[in-house]
Amino acid sequence: MSDLPGSVLFVCTMNAIRSPIAEGYLKFLHGTRIYVDSVGIRTQRVDGFAIAVMEEMGIDISRHAAKTFDHLEDDLFDIVVTLSPEAHHRALELTRTSPVEVEFWNTFDPSVVEGSREQRLDAYRQVRDRIFERILTRFAPQMKP
């Protein structure tokens, strides 16, 4: 496995569910070893179900402030991970002249699920768990010899 990147940006459509979950988990996993941020194509307040399923893991994303590419303090990242097709196309457009690696992790939008509160939470848990698996695979903590 290669060394960990110095910075990672997660991008989704609204910066309200998938990218805050990914940002929160990578920060939880690596602390300040990796600079992590997230944005959306558009913004919407962080989703209450996303907050709830992350709290189940002991990670607080309730103070997440949604933002777009225009609101980034730093736009130089080693890796940009896109979580929706729209986000992927936008990230490729914005990074085409930058030496940045863009990875597409197509991730289901759980906000489209209808049903009871528990059915909706289950959809969010599945997305959370899938993002966790991808992060653990891609950004596993480095073991010292």
Side-chain angles (χ1 to χ4, degrees), residues 10 18-28 36-38 64:
F10 291 102
R18 295 166 286 187
S19 56
I21 286 173
E23 176 186 355
Y25 189 61
L26 191 56
K27 283 180 175 178
F28 176 79
V36 184
D37 206 349
S38 68
H64 175 77

Side-chain angles (χ1 to χ4, degrees), residues 64-123:
H64 175 77
K67 59 187 169 289
T68 65
F69 282 100
D70 295 333
H71 297 104
L72 284 174
E73 291 180 25
D74 185 358
D75 62 355
L76 298 173
F77 291 88
D78 296 323
I79 299 173
V80 175
V81 177
T82 60
L83 302 164
S84 70
E86 184 179 9
H88 187 67
H89 294 296
R90 178 66 184 209
L92 288 175
E93 184 181 298
L94 293 173
T95 62
R96 70 177 175 264
T97 60
S98 303
V100 63
E101 182 179 345
V102 179
E103 295 182 11
F104 182 40
W105 298 359
N106 194 12
T107 306
F108 178 73
D109 178 0
S111 69
V112 301
V113 172
E114 296 180 2
S116 69
R117 175 175 166 71
E118 197 56 38
Q119 289 170 321
R120 294 180 70 201
L121 279 169
D122 282 344

